[in-house]
Structure formats: structure tokens, C-alpha cells
Amino acid sequence: MAKRKPKRKPNVGHGKRLFQVFRHADGTHWVALDLEPRSSEGLDFVGEVCADGFLAAHVAVLGELPPLDEAIKPLVLLLNELGFWTEFSCSGHEAEESDGGNGGYILVYIERAETLLRLKRLLADIWDEEDGPCDCEGECDFIDGHPPVRSLRNGTPIPEPNMGVRIELTVEGAFHGEWGFRIDFVGYERPLTALDYAWLVEQIELRTGRAKPLPQPLPPQPLQSHKRLTIQRLL
């Protein structure tokens, strides 16, 4: 009697999963989860590795991070450090907004309800502090007040008009037997910039104990004394 082929076990080690890496015909790579390593036309299997996230799997097999938009890269890396596996991201694209805004997104892989709840609480804690008193002159359409003007911790102002961001956890569907959630970032009246994402990174760091002290300005240095030069006239 022929032996039955053992079933592949996706869970390999505490907090790690089995990932496969494929190479597209154009040279770009794609990291997949819990898939059989089968090559197909235009998609070649490169290798597989046990890792604690999509980025970690990409680095383990290829020795480098996958291509990430520079503006959103710090946010993507921070989310992964906090245990939220990101699969795809974009710092900005044309959004279907009547006001001409543009948006970015991060697709987060969620395998446990507690992880989703932790992410929702983290984001809600940031945006719940946005409501502030309205100091407009004349009529105002904002019932709940205006969010305060934002700036980075070092005082760098965020470009005006004040950034409006809509973060939604939208179920994209079942990915690899689990759920993928999309976090959307929308800039109104202007494109999102690296400063917008940098502000969000700082807010998350402050709430997770990862914020580093700001560099202190150097104390004023005493003026160096110079020796007087005596010019002797030669007679």
C-alpha cells in the first residue's frame, strides 16, 4: 500500500508561517502564503521560508525588502514591528473623490480577532483626539468642530489645507484562509505627502512607547579667545 503524502503544515513555529516567493517575468517578486510552490507561465517559484510576516519572508529569501513607496515605507515597517503583517501598500493613487483628493492604502493580513481589535483601537485612539472647537467666523458646515492643525514633533508644519484622512478597515476578502483588511488614507484638496505619513508614524510611536526623545539643541558655545597679534615695525 502506498503511503499517503503528508499534508503541508502552514503553522511552523510560534508566530511563524510558511511563505513562498515567486518571480514574475518582468523580474519583480511576489510573496505568497500557504500555497504549493508550483511555477506557472510568467511566474517562477524562487524558494520558501518560515517567517513572521510577508516582509520578513521577502528579506529571508531575496536579502532585501520588496519595493515600497518611500513616503509610506516608515509606516509599513512600523506596523510590521507591531505585529501587523502588511501585504500590499501604496502611498497615493487617484481616488474617486468629487473634491479631487488622492489616497493611499495598506493591506493588512489579520489571522486573529484580537489582532484586528488591537489595530482598530490604536487607530481610533489617534483619530478620536482630532475633534476640536470651531473658531470659524460666520457660518460653518462642520458640526463636530475642526481638527487641530497638525505638525511633527519637531515643529515642522503639515502642508495646508489641514490634512483630512479617512481610515477605514474594509474587508477585502479571504486571503490564504484568513482575512485581509485595507486601511485607506485620503487627502482632500491636495495629494498626501511624506509629512502626512510621518505624522501618523509619530502618533503611533507615542502610543506604543516607541517614540524616541527629540534631539536637544546644542548649548551655546563660548567664543574662543584669540591671541592678539603684535605687528612690529622694523626700523
Side-chain angles (χ1 to χ4, degrees), residues 139-196:
E139 296 182 359
C140 177
D141 294 330
F142 288 85
I143 300 177
D144 297 328
H146 292 298
V149 176
R150 296 171 179 156
S151 64
L152 300 184
R153 293 174 60 206
N154 61 7
T156 302
I158 303 298
E160 294 183 0
N162 192 20
M163 181 181 71
V165 172
R166 182 185 68 226
I167 294 185
E168 297 179 352
L169 293 179
T170 306
V171 179
E172 289 287 303
F175 289 85
H176 327 299
E178 308 295 347
W179 291 100
F181 288 84
R182 179 184 176 110
I183 311 174
D184 288 314
F185 310 91
V186 178
Y188 299 102
E189 299 183 17
R190 66 171 177 83
L192 293 177
T193 69
L195 289 177
D196 296 314

Side-chain angles (χ1 to χ4, degrees), residues 4-75:
R4 179 179 298 179
K5 183 179 179 181
K7 185 178 181 180
R8 293 169 59 87
K9 297 181 179 181
N11 294 311
V12 282
H14 179 68
K16 293 183 180 292
R17 301 291 292 269
L18 182 63
F19 292 85
Q20 291 79 36
V21 182
F22 298 84
R23 182 174 56 245
H24 293 281
D26 60 2
T28 59
H29 293 84
W30 171 53
V31 174
L33 178 61
D34 296 350
L35 295 176
E36 292 292 339
R38 298 173 181 173
S39 299
S40 59
E41 184 178 356
L43 194 65
D44 296 326
F45 171 69
V46 176
E48 59 184 356
V49 64
C50 298
D52 56 4
F54 291 92
L55 296 188
H58 203 285
V59 172
V61 175
L62 302 174
E64 61 182 3
L65 288 169
L68 296 170
D69 291 352
E70 288 300 321
I72 207 172
K73 182 177 179 179
L75 179 57

